[in-house]
Amino acid sequence: EDRERDVQGVREGARGLLTDLMQAASVRAAKQAAQDDKVDRKGSSGMKSAAPQQSDIIDVTQDTIRVGFVGTGTIVSHTVKGLLRPGLEGKKLDVIVSPRSKDKAEELKKLFPDQVTIAEDNQFILDTCTIVCLGVTPQHAESVLEGLKFKEDHLVISFLSTAKIPDLSRMCAPAKQILRAIPMPPIEKGLGPLVTHPPNQTFDSIFSRTGKIIALENEIELAAMMSTSALMATYYEWMGVGHKWLVAQGIPSKPATTYMCSLFLALATKGQHEEDGFDKIVSESQTPGGINEQVVRNLREEGWFEGVGKQLDGILARVLGKPKA
């Protein structure tokens, strides 16, 4: 009975903490989306700068803005859900999605029946939308785009990880406005960063509702930020290791999952207030001779963190299209 009460206490405490943190995160995201200054324009020096934006040729003064998506994979699905999630202020959006990935397209149509249209083909998207997002996989981009007829006034937003702007300009000619963006799954909840290059006011006006926009000055910076996004699965693997260990100690899976989610969300929430790296918070999180110091020290000695850095080097080379060493 004592053990059951302890487990129940862990379950209730963790669930309450998670609820409080998620509510706080939602409030922060809503406030950020309403602020005009939410876009960080960072130059190569890392300092904020008044970056010149592409001149806009898209009319965003109309009551409804139509956005098309060529390709309806996982990232596009998260993005559309973020753009159309209930309770958002601002202009109404209509979305036209590709028939590719039929299950995801039909799911979006079911979730947002009045705002989502499934196109008959990809050319229909280009014919009916001035703002076109590319969500096909990089290896299929050439074959999908080569038969499509773009227009000069198209604003093309590419989610492709390895296609650079010169290549996109060739594949999407004669479109004049082309930019790249890196949406991540939390965009569905209006959370997380949305990195883009080059800065574009039309993009900001539409996608500011989905997360924190970070507009970069060149594709090298974009490639570096994109590379760190490869840590996403590793982050969840860390949580999974902790969860499985707790279950092995006899804690039921559900409260173990809740606890790990609450713990990592709390750590990320605290860390987001750091402005100049994380050395300070790493140090503050360790008590001399304590358990955190023990784990960090042992992992350092095993070369674990150095190995992560090497993985990022490899990802950056891949994103930049450099040959393997």
Side-chain angles (χ1 to χ4, degrees), residues 264-279:
F264 275 69
L265 178 59
L267 296 176
T269 300
K270 180 174 175 58
Q272 75 177 355
H273 299 294
E274 299 298 304
E275 297 181 352
D276 189 22
F278 298 95
D279 290 344

Side-chain angles (χ1 to χ4, degrees), residues 233-289:
T234 303
Y235 177 88
Y236 291 126
E237 182 69 13
W238 265 105
M239 296 175 68
V241 168
H243 166 265
K244 291 174 183 176
W245 186 88
L246 288 173
V247 170
Q249 309 314 305
I251 296 177
S253 179
K254 189 172 182 179
T257 301
T258 301
Y259 176 79
M260 293 305 300
C261 288
S262 300
L263 174 62
F264 275 69
L265 178 59
L267 296 176
T269 300
K270 180 174 175 58
Q272 75 177 355
H273 299 294
E274 299 298 304
E275 297 181 352
D276 189 22
F278 298 95
D279 290 344
K280 181 180 177 182
I281 198 170
V282 169
S283 177
E284 292 176 345
S285 299
Q286 304 175 56
T287 301

